[in-house]
């Protein structure tokens, strides 16, 4: 060590041994170092001739002579050996890769090693002349002095804390400081040994990591989706679920983590048969690969359904077990928009009834559903409104639209389950009914007798009636023939006997003309 080391401050070998022994005890936490021979040398020296070099003082007694009268070891040899040991301890402390300082009870540091001097830039003399508070960051002084005072008061034999030292050039150094108390022979505090390890880089990296974790945690917690990490399987445990879960489904993340069945129990019954992530894993998905995206409904805590899209990637944990790192995105609005668009393709925008194209497909399906007979019958009805033009002319198209909606509602109320009501356009409607022959006839009678539909407007009533034509399907009917038959029946109902007479005359004329053409072809 430098000139301020133990040989300069404690010329007595026993004192140097005591100090360095305590220092090493603090360093090694083992409580001592084999320097006891110094005491033996001192006692032997007391009985030596006057010209024998003086040995360090000691209150240890000279060991008894061994059996057989063998004399004690030569004091000079003991002193030489122990001096060498002291030098070893001194070199150990000086070369230690951590800063070491002996701290007096008044807080000064008369003994330091090279590492501590290099860390802070102060000389031995500067360390010895100023208390540790002088090179401690201002914000850390109070806590350091409190712990040092408690140690001297006997509340503990040491303490540890992370603190900031101030270098001589004014820069700051973070250290992990450990202070251990060394007591004298009387048991009272004698001095302390401080050990400081430079953790500036570690603190910088920890702060960067903390900032990065905070940044990504804020991203995860505020992204409009639930981020999760969990085991695959219907009852796989979740190790992480982001707080967005409570906003999306009404459950706290801790509930899903504590009870792995909550997720599977929340799946809508109709969606429990979907292709799950486990299916993809069984197919041999490799680590890092994305699992197929799946969309299903989860039941919110209050009972309503939430559509989610579940996207996950496969990762292996430190034990090689598969884990799903995924995101649950609320796609309820998208699904509802999708359903509305699909509805608009097949339904009338004003009344919500099926449109012409969809109605034709429904009739196709009904006719293809099996043989017709007493147990299964199909009928189509066309409905044309009487007086609707007068409503539009008198009350305007807004009232006319209300009348159309009311007619649609009336027809729906008359059609049994399994049937369909369509708006074909303008004031024309169509009805499909299926069931037994008796059920179909009853429905046809109810629609035919639908009566007047009225809408109140400004104290007046806009009224219309419907002309209904019905056609009951038989084995010869295709969709087009059945619809044509219903259309003809509707016009018969609308125009009455005059149309039926004109149509009958036309058919008779067609028959006569056909017979004449056939006669002309005969030889």
């Amino acid at each position: 060590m430098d000139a301020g080391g133990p040989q300069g401050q404690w010329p007595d070998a026993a004192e140097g041994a005591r100090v360095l022994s305590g220092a090493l005890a603090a360093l090694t936490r083992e409580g001592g170092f084999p320097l006891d021979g110094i005491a033996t040398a001192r006692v032997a020296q007391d009985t030596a001739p006057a010209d024998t070099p003086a040995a360090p003082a000691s209150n240890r007694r000279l060991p008894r002579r061994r059996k057989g009268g063998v004399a004690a070891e030569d004091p000079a040899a003991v002193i030489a050996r122990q001096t060498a040991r002291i030098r070893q301890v001194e070199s150990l402390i000086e070369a230690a890769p951590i800063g070491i300082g002996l701290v007096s009870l008044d807080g000064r540091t008369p003994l330091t090693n090279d590492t501590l001097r290099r860390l802070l830039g102060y000389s031995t003399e500067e360390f010895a002349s100023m208390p540790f508070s002088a090179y401690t960051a201002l914000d850390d002084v109070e806590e350091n002095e409190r712990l040092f005072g408690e140690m001297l008061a006997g509340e503990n034999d040491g303490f540890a804390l992370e603190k900031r030292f101030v270098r001589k050039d004014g820069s700051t150094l973070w250290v992990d400081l450990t202070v251990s108390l060394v007591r004298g022979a009387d048991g009272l505090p004698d001095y302390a040994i401080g050990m400081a390890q430079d953790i500036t880089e570690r603190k910088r990296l920890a702060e960067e990591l903390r900032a990065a974790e905070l940044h990504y945690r804020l991203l995860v917690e505020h992204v409009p989706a639930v981020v999760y990490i969990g085991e695959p399987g219907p009852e796989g445990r979740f190790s992480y679920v982001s707080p967005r879960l409570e906003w999306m489904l009404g459950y706290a993340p801790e509930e899903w983590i504590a009870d792995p069945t909550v997720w599977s129990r929340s799946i809508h019954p109709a969606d429990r048969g979907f292709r799950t992530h486990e299916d993809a894993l069984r197919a041999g998905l490799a680590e890092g690969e994305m699992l197929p995206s799946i969309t299903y409904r989860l039941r919110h805590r209050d009972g309503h359904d939430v559509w989610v899209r579940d996207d996950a990637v496969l990762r292996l944990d430190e034990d090689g077990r598969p884990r799903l790192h995924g995101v649950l995105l609320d796609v309820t609005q998208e699904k509802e928009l999708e359903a509305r668009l699909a509805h608009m393709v097949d339904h009338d925008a004003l009344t919500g009834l099926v449109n012409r194209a969809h109605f034709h497909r429904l009739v196709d399906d009904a006719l293809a559903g099996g043989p017709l007979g007493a147990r299964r019958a199909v009928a189509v009805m066309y409905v044309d409104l009487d007086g609707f033009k007068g409503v539009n002319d008198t009350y305007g198209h807004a009232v006319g639209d209300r009348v159309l909606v009311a007619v649609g509602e009336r027809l729906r109320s008359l059609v049994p389950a399994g049937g369909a009501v369509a708006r074909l356009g303008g004031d024309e409607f169509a009805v499909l009914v299926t069931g037994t022959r008796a059920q179909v006839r009853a429905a046809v009678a109810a629609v035919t007798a639908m009566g007047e539909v009225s809408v109140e407007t400004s104290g007046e009533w806009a009224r219309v009636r419907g002309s209904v034509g019905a056609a009951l399907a038989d084995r010869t009917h295709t969709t087009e023939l059945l619809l044509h038959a219903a259309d003809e029946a509707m016009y018969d109902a609308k125009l009455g006997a005059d149309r039926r007479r004109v149509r009958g005359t036309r058919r008779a004329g067609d028959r006569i003309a056909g017979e004449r053409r056939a006669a002309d072809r005969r030889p």
Side-chain angles (χ1 to χ4, degrees):
M1 302 178 93
D2 65 358
Q7 298 303 309
Q9 296 181 59
W10 295 287
D12 185 283
E15 177 67 7
R18 184 181 66 80
V19 170
L20 292 175
S21 178
L24 191 64
L27 286 171
T28 63
R29 299 290 195 269
E30 292 177 357
F33 189 74
L35 299 175
D36 292 340
I38 291 292
T40 304
R42 175 59 185 269
V43 174
Q45 191 176 31
D46 289 343
T47 61
D51 57 348
T52 303
S58 173
N59 58 3
R60 298 284 300 272
R61 291 179 300 170
L62 182 68
R64 297 178 181 175
R65 290 178 176 273
R66 298 178 185 174
K67 195 171 185 179
V70 179
E73 187 177 358
D74 178 56
V78 172
I79 292 173
R81 185 175 68 253
Q82 300 293 31
T83 299
R85 288 179 180 271
I86 291 172
R87 289 297 184 187
Q88 290 174 355
V89 176
E90 181 182 6
S91 298
L92 174 66
I93 294 174
E94 186 70 10
I98 60 175
I100 300 173
L102 184 150
V103 185
S104 60
L105 300 185
D106 63 359
R108 302 179 188 277
T109 314
L111 177 64
T112 56
N113 73 344
D114 182 62
T115 301
L116 186 60
R117 294 192 294 273
R118 282 189 292 103
L119 283 176
L120 299 185
Y122 297 106
S123 67
T124 300
E125 292 74 18
E126 288 171 319
F127 270 118
S129 65
M130 59 183 180
F132 62 76
S133 59
Y135 52 86
T136 297
L138 186 61
D139 291 341
D140 297 335
V141 169
E142 182 179 352
E143 179 66 8
N144 199 162
E145 290 186 338
R146 182 186 68 81
L147 293 172
F148 192 79
E150 290 177 353
M151 181 182 69
L152 297 184
E155 296 182 25
N156 54 67
D157 285 330
F159 61 89
L161 81 157
E162 291 183 356
K163 62 173 286 188
R164 286 158 291 184
F165 278 146
V166 179
R167 294 186 178 100
K168 189 174 181 178
D169 63 8
S171 60
T172 300
L173 175 77
W174 273 100
V175 298
D176 189 354
L177 178 66
T178 302
V179 179
S180 299
L181 184 65
V182 178
R183 298 180 181 275
D186 56 3
L188 296 177
D190 202 356
Y191 58 90
I193 297 293
M195 290 166 284
Q197 182 175 6
D198 183 359
I199 60 170
T200 305
E201 182 65 11
R202 189 181 82 190
K203 291 288 287 187
R204 184 186 68 79
L205 293 175
E207 179 60 26
E208 290 181 358
L209 178 61
R210 187 198 67 79
E213 288 178 343
L214 177 61
H215 174 71
Y216 286 109
R217 180 171 61 82
L218 290 175
L219 284 178
V220 167
E221 291 182 358
H222 291 86
V223 71
V226 175
V227 179
Y228 69 85
I229 301 174
E231 300 171 344
E235 296 187 2
R237 288 192 171 276
F238 289 86
S239 56
Y240 175 78
V241 183
S242 65
R244 191 73 175 181
L245 178 72
E246 191 158 7
W247 174 87
M248 183 186 290
L249 295 172
Y251 293 95
E254 295 77 16
E255 294 180 85
W256 276 42
I257 293 173
D259 184 357
T261 67
V262 176
W263 171 74
S264 58
R265 287 190 284 106
S266 299
I267 298 175
H268 191 282
D271 294 338
R272 289 176 183 167
F274 66 85
R275 178 177 172 81
T276 60
H277 289 328
E278 311 76 89
D279 298 327
L281 294 177
R282 284 193 290 268
L285 196 72
E287 182 186 13
E289 291 186 359
M290 289 292 298
L291 283 77
S293 180
I294 52 178
T295 303
Y296 53 94
R297 284 164 291 182
L298 288 171
R299 185 65 51 86
H300 191 281
R301 188 169 211 147
D302 65 10
H304 73 271
D305 291 327
V306 178
W307 279 98
V308 298
R309 186 174 69 237
D310 193 345
D311 294 290
V313 64
L314 176 65
R315 297 291 184 191
L316 300 181
D317 66 10
E318 60 275 10
D319 297 321
R321 294 171 298 191
R323 291 292 182 269
L324 300 180
H325 293 237
V327 174
L328 292 176
L329 181 65
D330 184 348
V331 294
T332 304
Q333 290 186 348
E334 289 84 344
K335 293 295 288 186
E336 290 175 348
L337 177 60
E338 185 180 297
R340 286 198 299 270
L341 291 174
H343 188 272
M344 289 172 61
V345 171
D346 292 333
H347 292 76
D348 174 57
L350 175 64
T351 62
L353 303 175
V354 298
N355 58 21
R356 181 185 295 272
H358 192 195
F359 186 76
H360 280 221
R361 291 196 296 273
L362 293 176
V363 176
D364 288 340
D365 294 341
L367 293 178
L372 300 173
R375 293 183 175 275
R376 182 176 178 277
V378 175
V380 169
M381 289 170 275
Y382 272 14
V383 180
D384 187 81
L385 301 184
D386 300 329
F388 182 72
K389 184 178 183 303
V391 169
N392 274 339
D393 292 343
T394 304
Y395 302 106
H397 289 280
V399 175
D401 288 346
R402 291 173 55 200
V403 168
L404 292 174
V405 172
V407 170
E409 292 174 351
R410 171 70 63 82
L411 291 174
R412 270 191 291 219
S413 69
L414 299 174
V415 174
V421 179
R423 182 186 176 206
L424 304 182
D427 60 352
E428 294 183 354
F429 295 80
V431 178
L432 169 68
V433 290
T434 61
T436 66
R437 188 172 290 272
Q439 291 171 334
V440 168
R441 290 189 182 280
V444 169
V447 172
T448 302
M450 62 179 289
E452 185 179 80
V453 176
S454 58
V455 171
E456 193 273 336
T457 174
S458 301
E460 298 184 12
W461 291 91
R463 295 181 170 87
V464 294
R465 300 185 68 87
S467 294
V468 181
L472 186 65
D474 60 30
R475 293 180 180 85
T476 66
H477 276 116
T478 63
T479 297
E480 292 303 322
L481 288 175
L482 184 62
L483 295 177
H484 179 72
D487 187 48
E488 288 287 329
M490 184 270 292
Y491 274 102
D492 283 346
K494 192 173 189 67
L495 299 179
D498 290 341
R499 171 173 167 80
R500 287 193 293 272
R501 183 168 55 254
V502 170
R503 188 175 63 179
T505 301
R506 186 176 65 245
R507 287 177 178 173
D510 291 342
R511 186 180 68 254
I512 293 170
E515 290 174 352
R516 286 176 178 173
R517 285 193 298 271
D520 292 341
R521 287 195 296 270
R522 287 196 294 268

